[in-house]
Amino acid sequence: MTYKNFTIETDADGIALVTWDMPDKSMNVITVEVMNELEAIIDQTVADAAVKGVVITSGKSSFSGGADLSMIKSMFSLQQEEKAKDPAHAVEKLFALTGRMSALYRKLETCGKPWVSAINGTCMGGAFELSLACHGRVASSAKSVKIALPEVKVGIFPGAGGTQRVPRLANTQDALQMMTSGSSLTAARAKAMNLVHQVVAPEELVPAAKQMIKDGLKPVAPWDEKGFKVPGGGIWTPASAQLWPAAPAILRRETAGNYPAALAILKCVYEGLQVPFDTGLKIEQRYFTYILQTTEAFSMIRSLFISMQELGKGARRPAGIPKSEFKKVGIVGAGFMGASIAYVTAAAGIPVVLIDRDQEAADKGKSVCEGLAGGSVSKGRLSKEEGEKLLSLISPTADYAALSDADLVIEAVFEDRDVKKAVTEKVEAVLPEGAIFASNTSTLPITGLAKNSKHPDQFIGVHFFSPVEKMMLTEVILGKETGDRALAVALDYVAAIRKTPIVVNDTRGFYVNRCVFRYIAEAYDMLIEGVPAAMIENAAKMAGMPVGPLSLNDEVAVDLSYKIFKASIADLGPQSVDPRHMDLVAKMVENEGRLGRKSQKGFYDYPAKPAKKRLWSGLKHLYPQQRPENVDIATLKDRLLVTIALEASRTVEEGIVTDPREADVGSILGFGFAPYTGGTLSYIDGMGVKAFVDLCETLAAEFGDRFKPTPLLLDMAAKGETFYGRFDPYARKAAA
Ligand code: NAD
């Protein structure tokens, strides 16, 4: 028999080598077709008396990324349709559907012939669950091998036997840690956890896997043997009595109860280890069916997987413009941002000219790149040679003539209109025709800066976030006259440096910073009301934000807020800034010299390491304090999320953000907006626009007009619309 996604070669010893190599994909994923073929392969190899055992490996550099999440997304739509037709049976159908992969793996495990998984590269999720169902697992020692059950990161959990097999192989604590964090294991760590049997050199992989079968590998899983005991003795042991009462508390500390899938993992393991294996699988299937019906799973898969992938692949790239090849990128301004932008550009293999006012300043930028490369080499992320090659691509200079053959220039000089104007003119004097000019400004509208350019259609904003080498998001800003080719080149560049772009129209603060300013401003309001600072920071964490608003303000600098307020007053008039906020920031900066982390003093104190930062005790003397028991923590959480989501909805209403995927992905990658919600607009859609409007009105009545729902929201609530319905990104593409 022949298969589309697999080849089978049986050798003289009767060992069938099944190679998974999907023809139209760069990475193997589990689809319905793959499951059908795998089932046929199990039947074929069982029926063929000449086959003694099976080795499964991949024909690609990775083993597999796991289940095709688009398949899971389609299960959501199916479920919605079924629910509308026949609610009583919809869940039953979903239950049957979710059991397919698990049943297939159980069939493999009990087929009577030994199977060995030869893990040659990244092996994730459903693919590692497939490997766990094999009787033997051999992993390559190559650095590229990463093993993980990362489902929790997109709001689901390992639902094809993972929650049952891992804790029957590894000790319970490690198993829980692996699955609730979704973090990756190296091959060596997987072996130490007893999740793989052998780790061998890449060229030894398939021979070693075959040898396991020749050595008489039993086609029986440990849990199917009589007298099987769970590692550590199971639930009813003194060690478990220590672990289990603490486990939900630890999870709550890590997730604040916001991630139902993480809790479901605990339940699957706790309940599953007390029953026979097949009953454990049923328990897992029930929880999986439940989790698939949660808003969190739906929103997280949509934003963190589907939308992120679509934006990364250029969902917003104008069609019909040839893909750009970057022979040289110029970066002007070798300071804090420019140096790191040079680094990530060279890391993508693109030659970079790094320009500053003089050679010394340019060299200083390059030395920052040397530090970054050195760090990557010492952490083993780059080999010494790769580090050297990367650095050789960066040429520091003060001579603008070096830009005469650049395809793209990114300006990252001081945030000063006059300096930027002078630099634009100097660059354009040497830049070849057709080259694109991008500004990394964080606050100055692009349309205004483009007035300094001879070619405003070739002028665009490419806004990076700090630290550039870690932050995955780049905000691409269209000025009024920015042309399609500039957008295409900017998106090709962002793709080349492997970051995720969002494309937004021009406005003060663009999208991300507008939202971030609202978050910080709400914390100012809380401080002014006398809410204890620790409650503000804790409420933010409990709401799912990675960093509290006061801590975030310290990171970006309190004096920057002060400068921005002053600039807004100068540009837009005194009514543009709340005088109480101005007063708070002025007190911090001018009276107290508390500029943020950079001065070791902000809303927090930053004592020398190893001491940890702590909230500045003087904060409670700035405003009369409320008693903690009089402050409602749930309301604080709502205020922090609602104020951001409202701002996001305003950017949609103003036509700044035009695609809900960008608002959502931008909010999670840009400032970590409560990922379990799926992002700012999914947060609103998830609770329903009507419920959000009601919440806004309640908050507006108590805390002020800034919470008043906008006309767009009121209209959507009246019509029962969602953001993804009203601003359907796929409908627009189809219409284009
Ligand atoms: P920086 O002060 O660290 O670096 C600016 C660099 O520009 C300096 O090395 C300076 O010598 C150089 N420079 C100044 N005038 C020049 C000229 N005429 N010709 C050549 N070089 C010149 O500032 P930064 O934090 O890197 O910010 C740079 C830009 O990036 C600003 O527009 C800022 O708004 C934006 N930005 C900053 C951040 C951030 O977190 N710092 C984030 C996003 C965007």
Side-chain angles (χ1 to χ4, degrees):
M1 257 182 91
T2 56
Y3 301 93
K4 186 169 153 204
N5 302 297
F6 297 92
T7 55
I8 308 185
E9 264 174 275
T10 306
D11 67 12
D13 296 314
I15 300 174
L17 178 65
V18 174
T19 305
W20 185 6
D21 195 353
M22 297 173 84
D24 43 2
K25 294 232 174 330
S26 59
M27 194 187 244
N28 293 323
V29 286
I30 301 163
T31 58
V32 172
E33 187 183 60
V34 164
M35 287 196 278
N36 291 341
E37 292 196 350
L38 204 52
E39 179 138 36
I41 292 170
I42 299 169
D43 291 339
Q44 179 191 337
T45 50
V46 166
D48 187 345
V51 173
K52 302 278 178 297
V54 180
V55 169
I56 180 161
T57 192
S58 152
K60 306 204 187 283
S61 59
S62 57
F63 186 87
S64 160
D68 180 4
L69 288 185
S70 331
M71 173 176 83
I72 298 199
K73 192 189 170 208
S74 67
M75 276 159 74
F76 286 118
S77 347
L78 209 71
Q79 169 71 3
Q80 271 163 5
E81 280 167 33
E82 292 288 340
K83 261 200 176 146
K85 272 194 282 177
D86 183 358
H89 290 110
V91 178
E92 251 171 57
K93 282 195 174 159
L94 184 66
F95 182 71
L97 218 57
T98 57
R100 170 83 208 274
M101 205 187 288
S102 188
L104 173 66
Y105 294 172
R106 186 67 177 140
K107 175 172 174 167
L108 183 156
E109 189 170 62
T110 55
C111 76
K113 289 190 178 173
W115 277 62
V116 178
S117 172
I119 302 169
N120 59 311
T122 294
C123 182
M124 297 279 168
F128 187 54
E129 291 180 293
L130 164 67
S131 301
L132 287 168
C134 291
H135 309 97
R137 285 168 293 285
V138 186
S140 150
S141 60
K143 220 170 64 181
S144 58
V145 174
K146 286 198 193 100
I147 292 171
L149 293 172
E151 290 85 343
V152 76
K153 291 185 178 169
V154 290
I156 54 174
F157 70 83
T163 67
Q164 300 307 303
R165 291 188 177 92
V166 172
R168 282 173 170 83
L169 291 166
N171 82 54
T172 313
Q173 193 168 354
D174 288 346
L176 291 179
Q177 162 70 18
M178 175 192 187
M179 292 188 286
T180 55
S181 70
S183 53
S184 293
L185 310 174
T186 60
R189 175 72 186 131
K191 173 144 191 308
M193 279 174 67
N194 198 32
L195 295 179
V196 302
H197 297 95
Q198 292 179 35
V199 178
V200 299
E203 62 281 7
E204 293 295 320
L205 186 66
V206 171
K210 287 186 169 180
Q211 193 60 45
M212 277 187 93
I213 295 173
K214 285 190 240 171
D215 289 344
L217 178 68
K218 251 176 117 179
V220 182
W223 36 92
D224 289 326
E225 298 268 22
K226 241 190 154 156
F228 168 74
K229 284 214 165 58
V230 171
I235 298 293
W236 305 108
T237 60
S240 277
Q242 302 261 330
L243 171 77
W244 281 104
I250 294 170
L251 186 71
R252 199 163 177 87
R253 186 187 65 199
E254 302 297 322
T255 65
N258 290 323
Y259 293 83
L263 187 61
I265 291 171
L266 249 58
K267 291 180 179 177
C268 287
V269 175
Y270 185 76
E271 293 171 29
L273 287 186
Q274 300 182 53
V275 293
F277 184 74
D278 284 305
T279 313
L281 288 181
K282 236 332 70 99
I283 290 173
E284 180 189 80
Q285 191 182 346
R286 286 194 173 150
Y287 280 119
F288 196 65
T289 308
Y290 159 70
I291 287 298
L292 277 186
Q293 296 172 76
T294 59
T295 308
E296 288 85 349
F298 174 77
S299 305
M300 285 177 82
I301 289 184
R302 179 170 65 188
S303 293
L304 292 167
F305 182 76
I306 312 267
S307 302
M308 200 132 49
Q309 246 185 21
E310 287 169 352
L311 297 179
K313 284 185 182 161
R316 293 292 310 278
R317 191 183 185 282
I321 295 168
K323 192 166 179 281
S324 333
E325 298 291 334
F326 296 98
K327 290 185 297 303
K328 190 192 264 184
V329 168
I331 291 159
V332 187
F336 177 68
M337 294 300 283
S340 333
I341 298 170
Y343 180 80
V344 298
T345 308
I350 302 171
V352 177
V353 176
L354 182 57
I355 293 188
D356 209 295
R357 287 178 291 188
D358 50 43
Q359 186 66 40
E360 199 187 332
D363 287 342
K364 205 168 145 215
K366 171 125 185 199
S367 69
V368 171
C369 300
E370 284 160 0
L372 290 171
S376 290
V377 171
S378 65
K379 285 189 191 115
R381 290 198 196 119
L382 286 181
S383 68
K384 198 161 164 281
E385 296 70 37
E386 286 166 335
E388 281 165 7
K389 166 123 195 291
L390 185 160
L391 290 172
S392 74
L393 292 173
I394 304 172
S395 315
T397 178
D399 183 4
Y400 281 71
L403 298 175
S404 64
D405 55 348
D407 312 289
L408 166 71
V409 168
I410 299 168
E411 166 278 301
V413 298
F414 297 144
E415 190 74 337
D416 179 302
R417 283 197 178 91
D418 293 335
V419 177
K420 291 204 190 283
K421 179 171 189 291
V423 165
T424 308
E425 285 164 1
K426 261 171 124 173
V427 169
E428 287 191 350
V430 291
L431 209 57
E433 206 167 303
I436 301 301
F437 188 104
S439 174
N440 179 46
T441 177
S442 42
T443 54
L444 304 171
I446 292 299
T447 308
L449 292 180
K451 294 207 163 82
N452 304 322
S453 168
K454 283 186 281 184
H455 313 285
D457 60 318
Q458 288 166 211
F459 196 104
I460 193 162
V462 174
H463 180 214
F464 286 87
F465 296 89
S466 152
V468 176
E469 49 312 335
K470 293 210 182 103
M471 295 292 285
M472 291 309 300
L473 185 72
T474 309
E475 206 170 14
V476 174
I477 300 111
L478 302 174
K480 277 223 165 58
E481 294 187 56
T482 304
D484 273 0
R485 213 179 65 76
L487 174 59
V489 171
L491 291 179
D492 290 343
Y493 168 72
V494 175
I497 59 169
R498 291 183 284 277
K499 298 206 183 283
T500 306
I502 60 168
V503 180
V504 305
N505 287 317
D506 205 11
T507 175
R508 188 171 277 268
F510 314 131
Y511 169 66
V512 168
N513 283 346
R514 268 181 68 163
C515 293
V516 169
F517 287 150
R518 288 303 334 148
Y519 180 50
I520 293 174
E522 196 57 31
Y524 292 167
D525 277 312
M526 291 174 179
L527 279 178
I528 293 162
E529 289 162 24
V531 176
M535 288 188 83
I536 302 173
E537 296 292 87
N538 285 337
K541 298 245 179 70
M542 288 164 75
M545 299 300 287
V547 184
L550 301 176
S551 176
L552 184 64
N553 199 179
D554 273 1
E555 294 299 324
V556 294
V558 187
D559 62 327
L560 182 66
S561 303
Y562 194 33
K563 275 188 207 150
I564 292 172
F565 283 164
K566 283 185 183 163
S568 300
I569 292 172
D571 289 355
L572 308 171
Q575 79 293 345
S576 63
V577 175
D578 184 331
R580 298 165 318 135
H581 292 183
M582 187 62 165
D583 180 55
L584 164 60
V585 173
K587 270 185 191 157
M588 290 291 288
V589 174
E590 290 194 351
N591 302 1
E592 307 288 344
R594 306 194 74 92
L595 311 184
R597 183 195 264 281
K598 63 181 178 183
S599 70
Q600 283 95 48
K601 282 179 357 182
F603 291 104
Y604 285 76
D605 280 323
Y606 298 86
K609 283 196 171 151
K612 286 192 178 155
K613 69 175 184 182
R614 52 175 180 260
L615 277 160
W616 171 44
S617 58
L619 276 176
K620 55 177 168 294
H621 304 302
L622 289 185
Y623 299 95
Q625 294 288 286
Q626 295 190 45
R627 295 190 61 79
E629 61 271 29
N630 295 339
V631 179
D632 180 29
I633 202 93
T635 306
L636 296 185
K637 285 163 61 180
D638 283 343
R639 286 172 66 179
L640 291 168
L641 295 189
V642 168
T643 192
I644 300 173
L646 251 176
E647 190 67 9
S649 77
R650 285 186 200 109
T651 65
V652 174
E653 189 157 9
E654 292 164 25
I656 303 301
V657 171
T658 55
D659 184 325
R661 293 174 297 181
E662 294 181 312
D664 276 345
V665 170
S667 68
I668 296 178
L669 294 187
F671 53 97
F673 185 83
Y676 64 90
T677 64
T680 44
L681 298 185
S682 283
Y683 168 68
I684 301 177
D685 277 2
M687 75 170 81
V689 177
K690 170 83 178 68
F692 183 73
V693 162
D694 291 347
L695 181 54
C696 288
E697 276 164 353
T698 308
L699 293 175
E702 195 171 349
F703 300 103
D705 285 356
R706 63 184 180 281
F707 283 109
K708 273 210 164 136
T710 60
L712 171 69
L713 285 167
L714 291 170
D715 186 51
M716 288 173 65
K719 292 180 179 151
E721 288 178 337
T722 61
F723 278 95
Y724 279 81
R726 180 153 172 163
F727 301 95
D728 182 351
Y730 305 103
R732 179 171 68 179
K733 191 152 189 199

